[in-house]
Amino acid sequence: VGNHRLVLGNASLMQEAAVPVSGLGPQADALRNEGASVIYLAVNGQFAGLLAVTDPIKSSTAEALAALQAAGVRIVMATGDGMLTAKSVGARLGIEEVHGEIKPADKLDLVDKLQQQGHIVAMAGDGINDAPALVKADVGIAMGTGTDVAMNSAQVTLVKGDLRGIAAARILSASTVRNMKQNLAF
């Protein structure tokens, strides 16, 4: 950019570009512990700064997860964010099983592993990186606020991206199946 070579990314990318960022570990970790993703910037091979980016947690998310957990649903979080960020967000939401630094193929492998263990897997996601796992899951749930690829890969789309829709859909599904069984009995 303007005759300057910019490198913007994670610590691994900085290592590949031979830009030392190890001295910034405490500052970066403090931001990650607050739930932020840390992005490093180098200009012409010299460290220039770090950026902290956060996705705010929707106010309805904790309620939705609590309802699902109360119904006996095991919640697993898999994210491309760093492990410290993932653990911080997971702790705030009461999610015990957290997988961070996950690539799309890893999400797919996680869904496959859970299925091989005999679990029925519902996968919720909003991005291109979620599409393979959404297809593989027994129930793929796309956020309507996400990408078209995610929505085309999933069987269910939550129009407003509100996770409470998962709990509502689950109740509606159980009621529908119960009604079908009653009708078959008649």
Side-chain angles (χ1 to χ4, degrees), residues 31-160:
L31 291 165
R32 288 183 187 109
N33 282 326
E34 292 175 14
S37 294
V38 175
I39 304 166
Y40 298 97
L41 173 64
V43 178
N44 298 326
Q46 299 297 313
F47 175 75
L50 63 87
L51 305 166
V53 180
T54 60
D55 248 342
I57 298 171
K58 291 182 182 178
S59 59
S60 61
T61 300
E63 176 189 337
L65 295 178
L68 290 168
Q69 288 170 327
V73 175
R74 173 181 166 196
I75 306 293
V76 177
M77 183 172 128
T79 177
D81 289 332
M83 199 58 199
L84 282 176
T85 302
K87 283 184 178 181
S88 171
V89 172
R92 278 191 266 164
L93 293 172
I95 302 171
E96 294 180 15
E97 187 173 344
V98 175
H99 301 269
E101 300 173 13
I102 298 289
K103 294 176 175 59
D106 299 328
K107 289 182 182 182
L108 181 62
D109 290 344
L110 179 59
V111 169
D112 187 52
K113 176 184 163 192
L114 292 168
Q115 288 173 327
Q116 287 181 15
Q117 292 172 354
H119 299 287
I120 296 171
V121 178
M123 162 74 182
D126 64 357
I128 293 170
N129 60 340
D130 297 316
L134 289 169
V135 170
K136 175 71 175 153
D138 297 293
V139 179
I141 304 166
M143 302 295 121
T145 54
T147 65
D148 288 343
V149 172
M151 287 184 272
N152 288 329
S153 300
Q155 295 92 0
V156 176
T157 299
L158 299 178
V159 177
K160 295 182 182 178

Side-chain angles (χ1 to χ4, degrees), residues 8-32:
L8 183 67
N10 62 18
S12 297
L13 182 62
M14 292 297 127
Q15 186 176 14
E16 287 176 27
V19 176
V21 295
S22 59
L24 298 166
Q27 292 100 327
D29 286 349
L31 291 165
R32 288 183 187 109

